[in-house]
Amino acid sequence: MQYKSTRNNQYLVSASEAIIKGLADDGGLFVPTSFPTFNLDWNELKEFSYQEMATFVLRAFLDDFSAEQVQACVEAAYDDKFDDPAIAPLVEVGGKHYLELFHGPTIAFKDQALSILPHLMSTANQIQDNNRDIVILTATSGDTGKAAMAGFADVPGTKIIVFYPKGGVSSIQEQQMVSQVGDNTYVIAVNGNFDRAQSKVKELFNDETLRAKLAEHDTQFSSANSMNIGRLVPQIVYYFYAYAQMVKQQAILPGDLIDFCVPTGNFGNILAAYYAKQSGVPIDKLLCASNDNRVLYDFFHGGKYDINREFELTISPSMDILISSNFERLVFHAINEDDRLLKEYMQELTDRKSYAIPEKYHANFSEFVAEFATQTETMEEIKEVYEKTGYVLDPHTAVASKAHRKASQQSLSHKPVVIISTASPYKFPEAVLRALGIETDGLSDADLLNKLNELSGVAYPEAIEGLLEAEVRHNTTIDIEDMKAKVEEIALA
């Protein structure tokens, strides 16, 4: 299998090359030239462990890796750093199924892919005989940064630089990042929102002068967020696994269609579901759930991607995104992989902050249904689900749960559903407690965590143990305009 750039159909690379590069040299994102064909015997697959499913899926997408190399990466990634042997347990709550993707070392879904990415990248370097040092450059809306650093900390031949929006993440998310250990990890807060930080990171990737300067020092950039196909492909695995578990739990029969509802910000998580569908998983609708930053909801209801709007800071900060990087991949597929047209849209987004897809292409987005939940609705959903079932949702999963409820009322989603649960409520204790009617003024983070523990009855995740007492190792804040200078300072040191 080869991968091509969304901005140049003729720019082809292998999986290992795509993983090392992160982004194409022309600024595009790598996509598969075709989707693999699987023999999907769900009566057999339902008995697969997560590790077996990961090996099964990844071997098809990363076919310049040997079977032994894929298996070694999987075994190194999905071990006892996850606090549940299922890795991604599927739980039934109040008639809905939630796929819990928060049992890894940073209690968010990014662990599913970022636990394996460093191993994929090291193996890709061996395959390509690449001896350059790699600087992982990423912007985070709260979760990617910590999960990436946890994966790459002290990995030889790498440095990782993470930018996050000051004041735009929860206090627990921030503490997780600023206390990160590893001599090769660098965490920098920026004055500005995630969109601006991410746009600057893309600009640095596409800076040919900077790229040449790094090359002179036998160094290159790569990415740890879902712009990197090596981050995206491992996310496809848990959609295969979720479907198999639905069969195993007798919620469906093999071959029955199901829906997935995904809380969506940068669009990587739901794009992985789309890729799973293209690879044969029996999926009917993909429900794209947005918070108050409803740019994707508006697109799916009119065909126009328009970021001329206020950027909202919400209690679901990892979804506080207007420029969804991975959406470029979906648009590329939907316009019949017309790279010239795709480049026009991306230029319009830069110049005019919007672009519109002609109606003749609208049917190519028909797998998607979109709904949103306001901040008030999100808090009401946390409270309602808890009062009815005792199950505590984090604010991102609650967006998806409420969005599915709204879509069902409109008969937009009527198949059995799996809701993607992307984070532990322990990552957002203040928001969850306020939703449950608990007064939080004056409470420290420790008080908030203890109160949540009392209410939920769920044991503290290992990721939280000792976090509040951990030494702050990163305390730099800069302006967006100073990001390039800071990257040069670190990368060329």
Side-chain angles (χ1 to χ4, degrees):
M1 177 182 288
Q2 288 188 301
Y3 292 82
K4 58 188 169 187
S5 169
T6 51
R7 303 189 189 186
N8 182 353
N9 264 321
Q10 305 308 308
Y11 183 3
L12 301 177
V13 297
S14 66
S16 56
E17 289 176 285
I19 289 170
I20 293 168
K21 283 181 173 292
L23 272 72
D25 292 342
D26 57 20
L29 305 184
F30 289 116
V31 298
T33 52
S34 61
F35 290 97
T37 301
F38 291 92
N39 176 24
L40 297 176
D41 180 347
W42 295 107
N43 283 317
E44 178 184 351
L45 294 173
K46 72 181 183 182
E47 302 302 331
F48 273 27
S49 67
Y50 192 89
Q51 292 87 338
E52 289 170 329
M53 189 67 80
T55 302
F56 175 71
V57 174
L58 294 178
R59 282 187 61 187
F61 278 94
L62 310 178
D63 66 356
D64 64 334
F65 287 63
S66 71
E68 292 76 18
Q69 286 172 325
V70 170
Q71 187 162 351
C73 290
V74 167
E75 289 175 355
Y78 305 117
D79 55 12
D80 59 8
K81 69 173 71 72
F82 287 80
D83 65 20
D84 190 304
I87 308 297
L90 182 73
V91 300
E92 191 272 327
V93 179
K96 297 179 183 179
H97 287 83
Y98 293 83
L99 186 69
E100 293 187 344
L101 299 179
F102 52 77
H103 290 278
T106 75
I107 56 177
F109 80 99
K110 308 295 176 73
D111 290 326
Q112 306 297 131
L114 286 166
S115 291
I116 196 169
L117 180 60
H119 304 288
L120 295 177
M121 197 168 282
S122 295
T123 305
N125 274 335
Q126 294 169 19
I127 294 169
Q128 292 296 319
D129 196 23
N130 181 37
N131 297 315
R132 287 181 172 181
D133 287 342
I134 291 179
V135 176
I136 306 294
L137 187 61
T138 196
T140 183
S141 55
D143 289 333
T144 289
K146 171 61 182 179
M149 288 187 293
F152 280 96
D154 291 325
V155 171
T158 67
K159 293 178 181 178
I160 178 164
I161 307 171
V162 171
F163 295 101
Y164 74 94
K166 187 67 178 175
V169 301
S170 79
S171 60
I172 296 296
Q173 286 177 308
E174 183 170 45
Q175 178 65 9
Q176 282 186 305
M177 286 189 282
V178 299
S179 61
Q180 175 65 47
V181 297
D183 291 339
N184 64 337
T185 63
Y186 303 86
V187 183
I188 300 151
V190 295
N191 296 313
N193 61 41
F194 169 76
D195 280 339
R196 292 186 63 211
Q198 179 169 251
S199 294
K200 189 66 175 180
V201 164
K202 285 185 182 177
E203 182 184 309
L204 295 176
F205 266 100
N206 297 329
D207 186 324
E208 292 185 10
T209 303
L210 181 56
R211 194 185 300 154
K213 191 178 290 187
L214 263 64
E216 290 173 8
H217 290 75
D218 286 328
T219 300
Q220 69 180 84
F221 284 139
S222 191
S223 173
N225 73 12
S226 51
M227 292 187 291
N228 190 325
I229 200 73
R231 233 298 293 281
L232 185 64
V233 168
Q235 294 180 253
I236 300 170
V237 171
Y238 49 75
Y239 292 100
F240 278 77
Y241 184 73
Y243 188 90
Q245 292 305 300
M246 287 285 280
V247 173
K248 185 171 186 175
Q249 295 181 18
Q250 299 183 336
I252 57 171
L253 295 172
D256 285 353
L257 292 171
I258 69 170
D259 295 340
F260 280 99
C261 181
V262 188
T264 309
N266 224 8
F267 208 76
N269 204 356
I270 197 166
L271 184 73
Y274 174 77
Y275 279 10
K277 180 173 181 176
Q278 301 309 304
S279 303
V281 178
I283 298 170
D284 186 27
K285 295 298 182 185
L286 297 168
L287 177 50
C288 177
S290 298
N291 64 10
D292 286 302
N293 293 289
R294 40 186 274 190
V295 63
L296 289 166
Y297 170 85
D298 290 343
F299 174 87
F300 285 119
H301 285 267
K304 184 178 183 181
Y305 197 99
D306 188 352
I307 62 172
N308 289 295
R309 63 185 73 206
E310 288 295 317
F311 184 96
E312 303 286 347
L313 289 174
T314 74
I315 59 170
S316 44
S318 298
M319 300 168 67
D320 290 344
I321 296 171
L322 295 179
I323 304 174
S324 302
S325 285
N326 271 286
F327 198 61
E328 177 174 332
R329 284 184 168 116
L330 179 65
V331 171
F332 178 70
H333 296 308
I335 60 174
N336 303 324
E337 305 194 345
D338 184 334
D339 52 3
R340 179 194 57 79
L341 190 56
L342 189 281
K343 282 190 287 189
E344 286 181 13
Y345 293 154
M346 294 303 106
Q347 194 61 51
E348 287 177 25
L349 187 62
T350 299
D351 296 342
R352 297 200 285 273
K353 309 300 182 190
S354 70
Y355 61 88
I357 302 292
E359 195 166 330
K360 66 180 180 178
Y361 295 119
H362 287 192
N364 294 342
F365 295 94
S366 60
E367 289 102 331
F368 290 85
V369 172
E371 258 303 342
F372 71 95
T374 66
Q375 184 148 287
T376 299
E377 288 174 326
T378 302
M379 295 179 74
E380 290 171 350
E381 185 71 6
I382 293 171
K383 191 170 193 289
E384 182 172 342
V385 171
Y386 175 72
E387 290 180 344
K388 287 183 176 178
T389 68
Y391 191 69
V392 181
L393 303 175
D394 92 284
H396 303 77
T397 308
V399 167
S401 187
K402 181 63 176 180
H404 179 260
R405 195 185 299 272
K406 293 167 78 170
S408 298
Q409 290 167 352
Q410 302 169 63
S411 298
L412 298 175
S413 174
H414 47 81
K415 296 286 192 290
V417 67
V418 173
I419 293 171
I420 301 301
S421 185
T422 54
S424 165
Y426 278 107
K427 214 156 190 178
F428 308 94
E430 182 175 10
V432 171
L433 290 171
R434 282 196 285 116
L436 296 177
I438 306 298
E439 179 58 56
T440 61
D441 288 349
L443 295 183
S444 66
D445 280 338
D447 294 332
L448 294 169
L449 292 169
N450 287 331
K451 180 65 73 174
L452 182 56
N453 177 249
E454 291 171 20
L455 280 172
S456 68
V458 177
Y460 279 134
E462 193 172 310
I464 297 297
E465 292 286 354
L467 175 67
L468 301 181
E469 295 78 40
E471 176 191 357
V472 172
R473 302 182 71 253
H474 311 272
N475 54 13
T476 302
T477 302
I478 64 174
D479 292 329
I480 298 282
E481 293 72 23
D482 297 326
M483 285 172 59
K484 180 178 179 179
K486 179 56 71 173
V487 167
E488 285 194 46
E489 174 191 325
I490 295 169
L492 302 177

